[in-house]
Amino acid sequence: MKAKTLFAVFFLMMFANSVFPKNDHKLEVTVSYERQEGRGSNQYAVWIEDKDGKLLKTLYVTRFTAEGGYVSRPGCTPLWVEKSGAKSLSKEQVDGITGATPQTGDHTYTWDLTDNEGNKVAGGEYTFLVQGTYTYPDHQILFKGNVNLSTPEEVWIETTPEFSSDEVKNKGMIKKVTAQYTK
């Protein structure tokens, strides 16, 4: 009897997965990062905004910045600090979005199409942003890309950097940002 019950449960699970497939839509943002030398460099944040510019979800921010580094070094990812309301984030919220400054290489951050509260977002246009501080106090790099969640096919997105100054030192900290939206 146990074997028949287990078989029935297994069969129902397989049937449910084929009839009601999981919603595995996602946006993967890949940051090609090269660790730099110097005070105040190597700080960056990755986040998602709605069409009105409201931050919906932070995918990653360096721990130094999120834990208050923006107070002692106000030039650390100032756009993310402003939009995220960093000063009001709880320790649990900070723990959920931070990590140590990464090693040199490609790093992928995945958006599961939910907001910071875990609610699924509606179809439509969204923007992913990557802001880095490559030289303290005020030398920033910003990458922006748009994705339409209503598109029926997989999409690859390339971005172009915007620099806040002509400062050359450490400008190669974030070399490239691309994204892939899969349905």
Side-chain angles (χ1 to χ4, degrees), residues 64-78 80-81 84-89 136:
F64 172 81
T65 296
E67 289 182 344
Y70 58 86
V71 174
S72 60
R73 295 186 185 150
C76 287
T77 63
W80 175 82
V81 169
S84 70
K87 293 176 184 172
S88 64
L89 294 177
Y136 180 78

Side-chain angles (χ1 to χ4, degrees), residues 2 13-14 16 30-31 45 61 85 112 135 150-151 155 170 178 180:
K2 265 187 178 179
M13 288 174 55
M14 295 301 290
T30 301
V31 177
V61 63
D112 61 0
T135 306
S150 301
T151 188
V155 177
N170 294 342
T178 58
Q180 179 182 13

Side-chain angles (χ1 to χ4, degrees), residues 23 48 50 56-57 111-116 118-124 126 149:
N23 181 1
I48 307 296
D50 67 14
L56 292 178
K57 189 164 193 170
W111 180 37
D112 61 0
L113 311 187
T114 63
D115 62 18
N116 276 333
N119 303 311
K120 284 284 185 194
V121 299
Y126 294 88
L149 302 185

Side-chain angles (χ1 to χ4, degrees), residues 29-32 127-132 134 140-146 156-164 171 174-179:
V29 180
T30 301
V31 177
S32 293
T127 302
F128 62 91
L129 298 99
V130 176
Q131 182 183 37
Y134 64 92
Q140 311 297 319
I141 186 170
L142 181 67
F143 293 84
K144 288 185 196 178
N146 295 315
W156 285 87
I157 304 152
E158 300 240 2
T159 61
T160 304
E162 300 170 24
F163 294 95
S164 64
K171 231 177 187 176
I174 299 176
K175 295 179 177 289
K176 182 169 78 167
V177 173
T178 58

